[in-house]
Amino acid sequence: MTETADSPVRLSVVDSPGQPSPTPALAELYRGFEKELLVPLWTEIGDLMPPHPRSKAVPHLWRWESLLALAERSGRLVPVGRGGERRAIALANPALGGRPFATPTLWAAIQYLMPGEDAPEHRHTQHAFRFVVEGEGVWTVVGGDPVPMRRGDFLPQAGWNWHAHHNAADRPMAWIDGLDIPFQYVTESQFFEPGRDRIGAAERTTPGRSRSERLWGHPGLRPVAFPGSRPATPLLAYRWADTDRALADQLALEAEGHVATVEPGHAAVRYVNPTTGGDVLPTIRVEMHRIRRGAETAPRRETGSSVYQVFDGSGRVTVGDVSWPVTRGDLFVVPSWTPFSARSEASASDSDSGALDLFRFSDGPIFEALRLDRSDVEGPST
Ligand code: GTQ
Ligand code: FE2
């Protein structure tokens, strides 16, 4: 065994342009680097400083049908309780080493609760949200405020708030969770604390509207008793009826000849923090996009990664070199600096409008805060 055999640094002499001549003396120098745990820039520069982001993550699609079937089986086999905390099953990007990371920064999971079940209370620094593509009956209890969850609702939940979930219905319910778990994992910033094993009787009630909505959920109005800006939204539910109306109004305004959409036939809204007008969570940006029947978006790429879920309709999405037909509930990943476009292709089973509704979340706020945000759009081909 040589002295450097145990070094985690491994340098090989290569005969390629831009590299020093391969000589025994160079090999000897590299053994010296290994022994002292040193790595020269010239052997690493291509990987460390590429001309543009080259994501380790790859585009990938998960079918809702398959996810739901496996979640249902988990419902029969896996109890929910202290320790495991949640019956949540995460999307693992195939290029991220089997880790439960949809992208290098984002966690996306399907969560499932059986009738009458409780997921125990806890809190963590990871920022989170729930989004419901079908079903109802679960109340998420955030800081003692029970919040009903129904199809199309977006429910943000900023880090370090106590939360539990309770299925008050006589049927199971599934939804998706988005969190910044991979980001906090790589930045080593996580804290976690278990709370009460059972939530109190008062939190087991099932009011139609949460206290947070009664206080913060009035468009253009805020309670004078609570001034100042907050780092994350105090509003715990953004209801489908409001999102749907905003998107329908944008497309109607466009049809009347007004500027209202991102591009022809493509309406979009971003969920915002009513105390700042900025993103709902410090690390996660969330939007709903509606692509009119037959419309297509221009390929666009951005720094940072996104996860999409098809909320309604069907169509075809293209991510880099791959393209899939998609339908309700399907989830897919768009890695950093990978062009993304979508086309609405109504099928017989789709709703009357034939529009494709895409729920999207990304790590955009991180990139924006650090001034690392960049994007470009490919112009229409002529
Ligand atoms: O529901 O509290 O998918 O803490 C991952 C971590 C869900 C939750 C997840 C969590 C939760
Ligand atoms: Fe949690």
Side-chain angles (χ1 to χ4, degrees), residues 1 99 194 277 376:
M1 274 243 281
R99 301 292 295 154
D376 66 22

Side-chain angles (χ1 to χ4, degrees), residues 9 11 14 17-20 29-30 33 37-50:
V9 177
L11 300 169
V14 290
Q19 296 300 319
L29 175 66
Y30 282 10
F33 287 162
L37 296 168
L38 299 168
V39 177
L41 178 63
W42 63 82
T43 64
E44 295 284 329
I45 189 154
D47 182 45
L48 293 179
M49 304 177 80

Side-chain angles (χ1 to χ4, degrees), residues 86 122 124 130 157 163:
R86 298 292 185 260
H122 65 207
H124 39 72
R130 334 267 155 227
Q157 179 224 291
H163 56 285

